[in-house]
Amino acid sequence: LTSHPEAIIVLPRHKIMKMSVLQEINPNVRNMKPLEYSILAGRLSQIKEELRQGVKKPYQEVLDVYMGDPHKGGVKPLSFVRQVLAACLYPQLVNSSKLPADVRQRAQRLLGRCDGGSVGSYTATRGIPETLIRVSEFITRRDGGVPSNPENIFLSPGSQWSLSILHVLLNPESSPRNGVLSPVPCHNTTTMSVTGLGAVVVPYYLSEEQGWELQVEELHRAMESAKGVCNPIALYIVNPGNPDGHVQSRKSMQEVIRFVSERKLFLLADEVYQDYVFGENSEFVSYKRVLSEMGPPLSDTVELASFHSASKGWMGECGLRTGYMELVNLDPAVMKHIFTMFSTDTCAPVLGQIALDLMLNPPQPGEPSYPLYHMETQNIKNTLAGNGKRAVEVVNSLPGLCCQPLEGGAFAFPKVYLPPSFIQKAKEAGLEPDTFYCSRLLDEAGLLVGPGTEYGQKEGTYHIRFCILTSAEIMEEVLTRLTCFHKQFMKDFS
Amino acid sequence: PQLRLSQAANGVPCRGKVLTVDNMNPRVKKVEYAVRGPVVQRAVQIEKELREGVKKPFTEVIKANIGDAHAMGQKPITFFRQVLAMCSYPELLKDNMFPEDAKQRARRILEACGGHSIGAYSASQGIECIRQDVARYIEKRDGGIASNPDNIYLSTGASDAIVTILKLLVRGEGCDRTGVMISIPQYPLYSAAITDLGAVQVHYYLDEANCWSLDVAELRRALNAARQHCNPRVLCIINPGNPTGQVQSRQCIEDVIRFVKEEHLFLMADEVYQDNVYAEGCKFQSFKKVLFEMGPEYSSTVEMASFHSTSKCYMGECGFRGGYMEVINMDPEVKAQLTKLVSVRLCPPVSGQALMDLVVNPPQPDEPSYTTFMKERTAVLAELAEKARLTEQILNTVPGITCNPVQGAMYSFPRITLPQKAIDKAKEAGHIPDMFYCMKLLEEEGICLVPGSGFGQREGTFHFRMTILPPTEKLKVLLQRLRDFHQRFTQEFS
């Protein structure tokens, strides 16, 4: 600044005092890619405020189908679940005739398993012991009898599972850095967590033209690409896929299992959308089941973590923030450390644990709540299938939009053709082209969807993601607004 | 490193494991959390044995290890549970069993939720109107000092927020590695998080001879010593203290603030026990309030975060995992990184957010629920104060045990004198002496406490932490048995 030996550099006081130098924070956090969502969320707030102030717009309220959030999308909570939760919260309801008998019995039983009979106490680290047994029984039933040990089950605060298992898997001091193979496209919380822990995301591309199928050759290519960059130690897979909606075939899953075994990778199987399967020839089968059916040595050696969540299923209780993970074939010494890590966060929210218990142990025929429960869940199931069909139909009827057949999951992820003139405009605005598309869609049609950039996509392609787990009315409105906007968009920019 | 030949549960040798104790994240291996450590694990086993009919010198284990009030029989606040029950099952809003002020709060909360359901995700920083309520509460509590809702981050208990801030700040290599100053003794979440993040723990000793007070000279000593081998950037302080219960004096708080300003440290003020103040002459004052009363030289420069939770105080709702932090004077760019970081875990449990809203927005004098609410709140705090006094009094009658006054929080942390023979015996067996003491106490008397070594203590001293939460009669039994045990123990090893 100056070569005079006695020069004093005077900085404004606040500049010295604040941690304003960005390199002062954890570089792993800095390296986490910021969400495209934050750009759109800012605009969303503004628009909501403008609407509140009576500013005239072509719409009266914004439709937000960005997240996989059924309740926000108009799907009603399940009565049985909410009644039990209410009785657990306010136990006087257990003795009142306002609630059905089976609701009251369940609440009583569940409260009996809580210390002090209150949902306000902490539970055991991995979760309420009887609930862990219920979870393992559910898994066994679901998997056609494949045994499940409650000792291997951990209930966690929603996507916090990543904090425990990734935390243990990824060594921040390793050189070369650890890598996690991750699908493209993929919802971003896991990839952000991997980066945040100082590890490398190694992408493997799903084949869009083949309905977002996973081709094992692509896994081989991904491993090759990691050479000299990082040391891959895990493979993350989402089935049914988010955002792609593909449901893996058994054959494909077997290929993945053989692959992880050969390449010595830990398998992370995110199966939270397992209830959402509506494709004609699709069927969900768990990685654990496929692994077990492949027999030894694979079934005894492949290390697997499977995940499920109270945020999904027919309950859709995203706000409760609870899920579970089942660990298979892990070294017992490592399990001890995983347990210790878990214990520092004490336990998963108790209401969420209870909801999970109910989700995996719904009312049975003959019980008073069964008819309503069955009707509500069937309704949601049918609506989802209907929405999926309708979404693909409408989207594929629009020029420049193309959606692969949806087999399952909670989203549609159509490809959007963006004309060069639009891409240029996006560059000028300093935005990714699909984010720019989404921001215009938000402004002009009051519809909030996610840009493909958020999830990853092949270079030069663009996509949007929107949730289809909504009420039928909201889905129709979403599609109407999208149609109207997109037709105009194609006119304006072709 | 030698390959460990352990066996998996199914008998297959673990030599070929992908994830082993040798290649897992080495930091996780070093993490400990005494509050749920070996003594507690043994207590759980013993409870199981008792249930199975095994004969023991006691019929139940008295668990005084964890700050879980409901588990020990404390009742929830009626008003809170009424509102939460209605939030869960809004049909109850039509029912006349609940008062109007509870209904009004439930409606307001539901209005702010996506799809009017607590099952929808919220914004990752937390529901906006709740953050506004929190800000108003802080303003009221701190005599009118302004609080900006944008600086409020709702969290999954205070622990989540504490770990998030540390995650943000820990960086650097070798001598530049972030040092985190924390008291000895401390709540072991801090040491666990520091270990897990690979930060350097810089401890400052609280002064046992002076009621566990904090001396700035000691802070300075610790800091200067630490600067030789790391880059101290954060000072953590728990007020009221855990495990010590001391309530900082106004003078002390000012001294700490001056210290962090001089030394350019980020201040983390853990204030989760802010309503738990019992001793005459002691008063809770928030760090923020004192900061602002010290004038703009400090209030516009010192960077800090304060933490609160729904788990303690008079609510004791641990199972809800509700909490918040308020960040003060954080650089906007760093704050943007913080906002990005919290978005990875999507959002805190909505029921916990709702509960926090009620804590900061309780019944007012002109509302129907006020009388009952105040009666319940006063009763809980009065009982805790009485138990604090009782604990201190009885423990101080035991030769070999000295207990500082329990000024606040929920614990006592008495010093125990162990005969040299006992210390030697423990060391021979490879145990830490106070762990040996606590294990013996558990086996012989069925009392579960946490050894002082889990919290940190001066070399050559021994302590244990016990909660003051068991119901008064049970607490008396506990203290009596403890007295008998200590006398026996001293004799046995004399």
Side-chain angles (χ1 to χ4, degrees):
Chain A
L1 283 154
T2 163
S3 53
H4 192 291
E6 285 178 67
I8 299 167
I9 299 157
V10 179
L11 286 170
R13 205 182 190 133
H14 70 276
K15 271 228 143 41
I16 310 172
M17 301 320 278
K18 281 216 206 295
M19 309 242 177
S20 58
V21 187
L22 213 55
Q23 54 257 35
E24 291 257 30
I25 71 154
N26 182 347
N28 291 335
V29 173
R30 218 177 349 114
N31 292 339
M32 285 162 66
K33 195 165 152 297
L35 295 172
E36 295 300 288
Y37 180 72
S38 32
I39 299 165
L40 297 165
R43 188 61 196 126
L44 175 66
S45 287
Q46 271 174 333
I47 292 174
K48 279 187 174 163
E49 185 53 36
E50 287 165 17
L51 284 169
R52 250 198 304 272
Q53 289 172 4
V55 175
K56 276 242 161 291
K57 290 191 188 291
Y59 46 87
Q60 303 207 316
E61 89 276 289
V62 176
L63 281 183
D64 180 352
V65 280
Y66 196 108
M67 302 280 279
D69 189 340
H71 293 192
K72 187 182 257 183
V75 175
K76 298 275 160 261
L78 297 177
S79 304
F80 175 73
V81 172
R82 291 308 189 82
Q83 286 169 343
V84 176
L85 289 178
C88 288
L89 283 161
Y90 195 65
Q92 283 180 15
L93 289 168
V94 171
N95 299 320
S96 118
S97 55
K98 295 173 203 283
L99 299 174
D102 53 349
V103 166
R104 289 184 276 136
Q105 271 159 30
R106 289 276 194 134
Q108 193 158 35
R109 225 162 55 215
L110 288 159
L111 283 173
R113 298 171 192 164
C114 296
D115 284 346
S118 165
V119 295
S121 323
Y122 288 123
T123 69
T125 298
R126 288 184 297 111
I128 299 169
E130 289 80 2
T131 298
L132 296 173
I133 295 171
R134 295 285 94 74
V135 172
S136 73
E137 286 170 355
F138 157 78
I139 293 171
T140 303
R141 269 194 320 266
R142 179 200 67 188
D143 292 346
V146 176
S148 166
N149 186 347
E151 303 282 311
N152 294 333
I153 296 173
F154 291 70
L155 304 191
S156 62
S159 48
Q160 232 79 329
W161 62 261
S162 62
L163 286 174
S164 59
I165 194 66
L166 283 182
H167 233 110
V168 177
L169 268 170
L170 302 175
N171 181 349
E173 290 159 20
S174 77
S175 185
R177 289 190 292 163
N178 289 144
V180 177
L181 267 67
S182 231
V184 175
C186 179
H187 76 106
N188 52 9
T189 52
T190 309
T191 45
M192 282 181 91
S193 299
V194 170
T195 309
L197 290 167
V200 180
V201 174
V202 180
Y204 61 89
Y205 291 82
L206 302 177
S207 303
E208 182 160 18
E209 308 310 317
Q210 280 74 43
W212 297 111
E213 203 175 72
L214 188 160
Q215 288 171 343
V216 77
E217 301 76 39
E218 173 58 17
L219 293 180
H220 288 285
R221 183 214 57 80
M223 285 297 279
E224 276 304 302
S225 77
K227 285 207 169 106
V229 178
C230 68
N231 176 28
I233 57 159
L235 184 139
Y236 175 68
I237 191 155
V238 186
N239 182 46
N242 172 6
D244 53 277
H246 175 74
V247 177
Q248 260 194 307
S249 68
R250 229 189 190 90
K251 174 160 171 289
S252 176
M253 293 170 76
Q254 288 167 348
E255 287 177 333
V256 169
I257 288 171
R258 266 182 228 110
F259 180 82
V260 300
S261 176
E262 277 161 41
R263 303 299 197 112
K264 297 207 135 312
L265 298 170
F266 192 100
L267 182 56
L268 299 163
D270 184 337
E271 298 175 326
V272 304
Y273 295 105
Q274 56 189 266
D275 293 302
Y276 306 155
V277 177
F278 40 81
E280 297 250 328
N281 301 312
S282 308
E283 188 205 352
F284 170 77
V285 79
S286 74
Y287 262 94
K288 175 147 179 254
R289 182 172 187 173
V290 175
L291 177 63
S292 167
E293 289 170 353
M294 288 172 86
L298 289 168
S299 58
D300 291 334
T301 57
V302 169
E303 289 152 69
L304 166 68
S306 311
F307 310 96
H308 197 9
S309 168
S311 303
K312 314 301 169 191
W314 310 120
M315 234 174 34
E317 299 282 3
C318 307
L320 290 183
R321 313 304 301 113
T322 301
Y324 76 73
M325 119 176 127
E326 183 185 23
L327 299 174
V328 177
N329 290 332
L330 264 72
D331 183 325
V334 174
M335 290 286 279
K336 277 209 179 74
H337 291 298
I338 292 175
F339 180 88
T340 306
M341 270 309 303
F342 243 90
S343 69
T344 62
D345 195 31
T346 328
C347 70
V350 179
L351 286 185
Q353 296 191 40
I354 288 173
L356 206 59
D357 195 303
L358 299 172
M359 170 175 143
L360 304 177
N361 275 292
Q364 294 301 300
E367 289 170 3
S369 299
Y370 180 76
L372 181 61
Y373 182 86
H374 182 75
M375 190 192 85
E376 288 176 344
T377 50
Q378 278 304 110
N379 194 12
I380 298 169
K381 197 172 182 183
N382 295 336
T383 305
L384 175 62
N387 286 353
K389 231 191 196 134
R390 190 88 185 103
V392 173
E393 202 175 70
V394 171
V395 164
N396 284 339
S397 73
L398 296 170
L401 279 178
C402 172
C403 190
Q404 293 296 313
L406 286 178
E407 298 177 336
F411 304 95
F413 192 63
K415 184 190 271 187
V416 189
Y417 166 73
L418 298 178
S421 56
F422 184 76
I423 294 176
Q424 181 56 35
K425 255 207 141 88
K427 281 204 170 75
E428 283 159 25
L431 293 175
E432 289 299 322
D434 41 16
T435 305
F436 191 45
Y437 179 95
C438 292
S439 85
R440 289 181 72 105
L441 178 61
L442 174 59
D443 270 335
E444 293 170 28
L447 177 61
L448 180 59
V449 305
T453 298
E454 193 87 293
Y455 316 101
Q457 54 205 346
K458 242 198 197 124
E459 186 78 37
T461 65
Y462 304 102
H463 299 78
I464 55 169
R465 181 190 88 163
F466 58 89
C467 180
I468 55 168
L469 188 53
T470 66
S471 67
E473 296 75 36
I474 288 188
M475 187 81 276
E476 208 47 50
E477 181 61 24
V478 167
L479 295 170
T480 304
R481 294 194 192 188
L482 179 62
T483 300
C484 185
F485 169 82
H486 190 77
K487 282 186 171 157
Q488 187 60 45
F489 169 81
M490 291 302 276
K491 280 207 192 99
D492 292 345
F493 287 96
S494 290
Chain B
Q2 271 192 329
L3 282 170
R4 249 208 241 136
L5 266 179
S6 48
Q7 295 259 334
N10 52 24
V12 176
C14 299
R15 199 192 332 220
K17 291 281 177 197
V18 169
L19 180 58
T20 67
V21 285
D22 295 316
N23 74 353
M24 66 178 271
N25 182 349
R27 294 175 188 166
V28 171
K29 277 193 282 194
K30 300 187 219 136
V31 169
E32 287 173 334
Y33 185 66
V35 179
R36 288 207 154 181
V39 181
V40 181
Q41 287 168 39
R42 177 67 190 132
V44 171
Q45 252 181 334
I46 290 178
E47 282 179 317
K48 187 161 180 277
E49 289 169 19
L50 282 169
R51 271 196 303 273
E52 291 164 0
V54 176
K55 275 247 163 287
K56 295 211 178 277
F58 45 84
T59 51
E60 68 165 330
V61 175
I62 304 179
K63 305 252 270 296
N65 58 295
I66 192 166
D68 186 343
H70 290 201
M72 292 287 109
Q74 182 178 305
K75 296 284 160 247
I77 299 290
T78 305
F79 182 76
F80 294 166
R81 292 304 189 86
Q82 289 173 335
V83 178
L84 291 168
M86 286 188 280
C87 285
S88 241
Y89 187 53
E91 283 295 305
L92 293 170
L93 284 163
K94 301 178 191 155
D95 201 298
N96 57 13
M97 80 186 282
F98 294 125
E100 198 47 49
D101 50 358
K103 289 187 178 179
Q104 186 237 26
R105 291 217 187 15
R107 279 189 207 107
R108 182 161 173 276
I109 289 167
L110 288 172
E111 189 75 16
C113 294
H116 298 278
S117 163
I118 57 166
Y121 288 119
S122 77
S124 57
Q125 200 171 331
I127 294 173
E128 191 176 353
C129 76
I130 297 180
R131 290 188 289 112
Q132 289 166 353
D133 289 350
V134 170
R136 266 195 288 274
Y137 160 81
I138 293 172
E139 284 175 356
K140 200 167 165 198
R141 181 198 67 190
D142 293 347
I145 293 162
S147 173
N148 184 346
D150 274 342
N151 291 334
I152 308 289
Y153 288 75
L154 302 183
S155 55
T156 308
S159 305
D160 168 33
I162 290 165
V163 172
T164 299
I165 292 287
L166 287 174
K167 206 175 206 171
L168 192 67
L169 297 177
V170 173
R171 57 167 287 285
E173 310 281 325
C175 281
D176 194 37
R177 192 71 184 157
T178 300
V180 178
M181 297 186 72
I182 180 65
S183 55
I184 293 294
Q186 46 101 40
Y187 171 52
L189 168 73
Y190 288 92
S191 47
I194 289 166
T195 302
D196 183 45
L197 292 168
V200 179
Q201 184 168 333
V202 177
H203 38 256
Y204 59 89
Y205 291 92
L206 299 176
D207 189 355
E208 185 160 18
N210 276 303
C211 210
W212 296 113
S213 63
L214 189 158
D215 180 6
V216 174
E218 167 57 16
L219 287 180
R220 193 153 278 122
R221 177 212 61 77
L223 180 68
N224 290 335
R227 282 200 167 127
Q228 311 289 319
H229 60 267
C230 71
N231 181 8
R233 302 177 66 216
V234 191
L235 172 64
C236 300
I237 190 157
I238 309 173
N239 182 47
N242 176 4
T244 58
Q246 100 276 25
V247 177
Q248 303 284 359
S249 68
R250 170 66 182 233
Q251 183 60 54
C252 185
I253 296 175
E254 286 189 13
D255 289 345
V256 170
I257 290 171
R258 256 177 231 112
F259 178 78
V260 299
K261 179 174 148 70
E262 276 162 24
E263 304 293 348
H264 195 45
L265 300 171
F266 188 94
L267 178 61
M268 291 174 66
D270 181 340
E271 298 174 331
V272 305
Y273 297 101
Q274 55 191 263
D275 292 328
N276 300 113
V277 176
Y278 319 122
E280 287 255 351
C282 286
K283 185 182 162 209
F284 170 77
Q285 293 183 88
S286 74
F287 266 85
K288 184 186 173 203
K289 174 169 187 268
V290 176
L291 175 68
F292 275 75
E293 287 173 353
M294 287 169 75
E297 185 194 346
Y298 294 93
S299 60
S300 62
T301 58
V302 170
E303 293 157 66
M304 64 174 275
S306 312
F307 306 92
H308 197 17
S309 164
T310 59
S311 303
K312 313 297 176 191
C313 295
Y314 61 91
M315 312 74 83
E317 298 277 15
C318 308
F320 282 81
R321 311 309 315 282
Y324 74 74
M325 70 173 151
E326 181 184 24
V327 300
I328 304 292
N329 291 328
M330 189 175 260
D331 182 289
E333 286 179 50
V334 175
K335 190 157 176 291
Q337 293 290 323
L338 170 63
T339 304
K340 180 181 76 175
L341 185 55
V342 302
S343 68
V344 180
R345 56 108 174 89
L346 295 172
C347 73
V350 176
S351 42
Q353 296 187 44
L355 175 57
M356 184 53 91
D357 192 46
L358 301 173
V359 169
V360 301
N361 202 6
Q364 294 305 295
D366 57 339
E367 289 181 308
S369 301
Y370 180 74
T371 314
T372 308
F373 170 76
M374 282 310 289
K375 191 164 135 218
E376 290 175 351
R377 181 182 191 274
T378 308
V380 167
L381 291 174
E383 201 185 341
L384 285 171
E386 176 52 30
K387 292 193 283 192
R389 188 203 62 78
L390 186 72
T391 301
E392 180 205 336
Q393 185 203 317
I394 294 183
L395 286 177
N396 278 325
T397 65
V398 185
I401 300 187
T402 28
C403 183
N404 269 322
V406 178
Q407 293 178 341
M410 292 176 172
Y411 316 95
S412 86
F413 195 67
R415 173 139 175 221
I416 50 176
T417 309
L418 301 180
Q420 191 57 48
K421 269 206 187 135
I423 298 172
D424 294 336
K425 175 125 196 255
K427 289 192 174 149
E428 249 168 64
H431 294 313
I432 299 171
D434 49 22
M435 169 78 82
F436 174 69
Y437 178 94
C438 288
M439 277 296 196
K440 214 162 187 300
L441 173 64
L442 175 63
E443 300 285 351
E444 291 178 19
E445 300 287 349
I447 294 170
C448 180
L449 311 177
V450 189
S453 46
F455 301 87
Q457 55 205 348
R458 278 200 185 275
E459 185 77 38
T461 66
F462 306 106
H463 302 76
F464 59 74
R465 185 188 83 165
M466 63 170 272
T467 70
I468 56 166
L469 298 175
T472 308
E473 286 318 303
K474 217 169 251 186
L475 185 66
K476 287 183 182 156
V477 168
L478 187 162
L479 292 165
Q480 202 178 299
R481 298 190 115 175
L482 185 52
R483 178 168 52 198
D484 294 342
F485 170 81
H486 192 85
Q487 282 167 339
R488 246 188 2 253
F489 185 90
T490 308
Q491 265 203 320
E492 187 183 333
F493 291 98
S494 59

